[in-house]
Amino acid sequence: MIVARNLTKAYGEARVVRDVSLDIPRGGITSIIGPNGAGKSTLLGLLSRLLPATSGSVRVDELDVASAPSDVLARRLSILRQDNHVTARLTVRDLVAFGRFPHSRGRLTEEDRRRIGEAIQYLGLDELADRFLDEMSGGQRQRAFVAMVLCQDTDYVLMDEPLNNLDMRHAAGMMKLIRRIVDDLGKTFVLVLHDINFASIYSDHIVAMRDGAVVKQGPPSEILQSQVLREIFEIDIPVHEIDGRRIGLFYV
Amino acid sequence: MPALRDTIRQWPVTLLLALTVLGALASLAFMTVGAKGPWSFVLPFRGTKLAAMVLVAYAIAVSTILFQTVTANRILTPSIMGLDTLYVLIQTSLVFVIGSSGSVALPPSVLFLAQVAAMIGFSGILYVCLFSGRAQSLHLVVLVGLVLGVLFRSLSSLMQRIMAPNEFVVLQDRLFANFNTVDTNVLAVAALAVLAVSIFGWRMIRTFDVLLLGRDTAIALGVDYKAIVSQILIIVAVLVSVSTALVGPTTFFGLLVASLAYRISGSERHALLLPVAALIATLLLVGGQLVLERIFAFDTALSIIIEFAGGIAFILLILRSASR
């Protein structure tokens, strides 16, 4: 369980995340949705220790994120951020291998190699495994980073817009893969998603943010309601039930 | 490119072996070619010079690569932090205040230690003030170093302008990297310092690789980013101070060696990059000194030869990255 209490992040006068208290249950997919500038990525940064909080606390199971040793946390929780720029010239396999660093400190064992191979295969990167990252498309690179994070094999995985740059096939494939990992291995995923329909179909729990605060949370059936979405995004989104799934038509 | 992939696997060993053999050959040539006096004089005399070159080559190569790793920038060298200019300032002030004859009379090992201490102290203060604060911005550290470097350079050139011409000639000679006047005691102290930071750094060599992924990913992978970066900056400060105090500033040499090492090794692993860079640096320095002594008959300074080559390499590097 990830427990955040009274989390605030301020840059000078601007409070980007204000007094957020949130419980993210163990197991399952929790999606964070909300308009641009709602503080979703900042919240993810605070939960994962990449950003120091101005005030408040975060606990991952028994570990306090601000004080626990970084390497212990790295075996418990992994995070994928939005823009991943690497100056070094690395191949996909090199990058994915870094996911094993928290476990083997850079000395790869047979077990590590097996897991690296698996992660590459899961993301359909076999053909590209020896290509350099700077010679690939944005979507391919995104999948390589996801493979690295999966390779880290942590109980909790935080991802900031994992569907960034992915085409329809790979976006749906990625969400199915995450669902499978969650169901088979009992892991906990926290995703920042822009497409409310992916959140609706694949998550167990949705957290909606606006202006740095959590305005609503609950199962997809409760969040995917026209009046709730209006409150979050300030637009009218008709919601239809198609094959038992709630779909918001935000295109019209 | 399946064939290329296979050769890459054996490449590291072959490369290290080849560079070691070349380095050994250059050293052998340096020790023996054109020896006219008795061996009992030639060997210790040239041996000291050779040891100084190997030490400086190692220090410059390792410090440049590590600095580029922490700053995630392949065209910076530690000289941007103003350590070279601090050295120039110290030398200029010495000659300015106590005169060329007075500064020549100072015991070399004391002078060396004082200079190294001043430079390490300077970088220490810079890091502690800027990096451990709330901002924690490495770019701020580099920027302040750059500005202080300009200040030191201006102060030095002011003093150089109002100095007597004879004094200035003595000073100028000291400001070019020079391996002909290295003191044996100083060399031993320098070697010890370099050895100490190397052992300190070797434990973390695999962690250096993770830094290539950037701050956020490194932290996500469990690296204590702030601690590692501070430690690397200290290692860099010691190495740069030692090499500068030993032979003087070498502006482009580190850049040349680092870019060659990335290109030749084709790897981003520090366990391979650092030895390759150190060997290339040794080869270039010893080879350059050999050319200087045997072909130009000491008519010029080694740093001129190296910086000429380094400057051209730098321009090529920029043109190449611009065309990509």
Side-chain angles (χ1 to χ4, degrees), chain A residues 136-163:
Chain A
M136 304 199 325
S137 76
Q140 292 169 333
R141 207 173 309 148
Q142 175 74 2
R143 282 190 281 146
F145 274 97
V146 171
M148 178 185 83
V149 170
L150 294 186
C151 214
Q152 206 175 329
D153 190 30
T154 51
D155 291 346
Y156 296 90
V157 183
L158 278 50
M159 291 184 170
D160 196 349
E161 294 188 36
L163 307 182

Side-chain angles (χ1 to χ4, degrees), chain B residues 49-113:
Chain B
K49 256 201 233 183
L50 182 66
M53 282 190 282
V54 173
L55 193 66
V56 168
Y58 175 86
I60 293 175
V62 172
S63 62
T64 307
I65 294 224
L66 288 184
F67 191 73
Q68 294 187 341
T69 295
V70 287
T71 52
N73 190 320
R74 293 272 154 100
I75 55 169
L76 286 184
T77 72
S79 67
I80 201 168
M81 301 288 296
L83 284 172
D84 300 31
T85 51
L86 181 61
Y87 171 84
V88 172
L89 180 65
I90 295 174
Q91 291 289 343
T92 310
S93 320
L94 270 180
V95 174
F96 188 74
V97 175
I98 58 178
S100 57
S101 48
S103 68
V104 168
L106 286 175
S109 34
V110 175
L111 186 62
F112 172 79
L113 282 178

Side-chain angles (χ1 to χ4, degrees), chain B residues 124-267:
Chain B
I125 291 169
L126 205 60
Y127 303 156
V128 169
C129 289
L130 297 173
F131 195 61
S132 49
R134 280 188 73 83
Q136 243 195 62
S137 162
L138 194 58
H139 292 115
L140 187 66
V141 178
V142 173
L143 207 61
V144 171
L146 186 73
V147 172
L148 286 176
V150 173
L151 172 73
F152 295 156
R153 192 172 306 129
S154 311
L155 285 175
S156 312
S157 70
L158 174 71
M159 282 191 271
Q160 284 165 7
R161 253 158 233 209
I162 50 182
M163 196 178 272
N166 284 339
E167 307 265 277
F168 180 68
V169 170
V170 172
L171 176 65
Q172 200 180 33
D173 187 46
R174 284 191 176 192
L175 296 183
F176 278 119
N178 187 350
F179 290 92
N180 300 319
T181 51
V182 174
D183 184 275
T184 329
N185 292 330
V186 168
L187 195 60
V189 178
L192 272 179
V194 169
L195 185 69
V197 291
S198 300
I199 293 172
F200 176 65
W202 186 255
R203 300 176 301 122
M204 308 184 283
I205 199 150
R206 285 162 204 278
T207 311
F208 296 162
D209 297 342
V210 184
L211 291 180
L212 293 171
L213 300 178
R215 175 187 176 271
D216 285 355
T217 312
I219 294 177
L221 290 173
V223 171
D224 190 346
Y225 182 78
K226 197 172 146 187
I228 288 282
V229 169
S230 310
Q231 284 164 357
I232 289 184
L233 289 178
I234 291 166
I235 293 175
V236 169
V238 171
L239 290 176
V240 172
S241 308
V242 165
S243 92
T244 310
L246 211 53
V247 297
T250 46
T251 316
F252 278 121
F253 186 55
L255 192 64
L256 173 68
V257 167
S259 57
L260 284 176
Y262 294 127
R263 245 159 248 284
I264 293 178
S265 70
S267 166

Side-chain angles (χ1 to χ4, degrees), chain A residues 49 81 89 106 134 152, chain B residues 206 215-216 219-220 268 324:
Chain A
R49 82 189 172 299
R81 296 216 77 178
R89 231 172 112 74
D134 55 357
Q152 206 175 329
Chain B
R206 285 162 204 278
R215 175 187 176 271
D216 285 355
I219 294 177
E268 303 285 346
R324 224 171 81 178

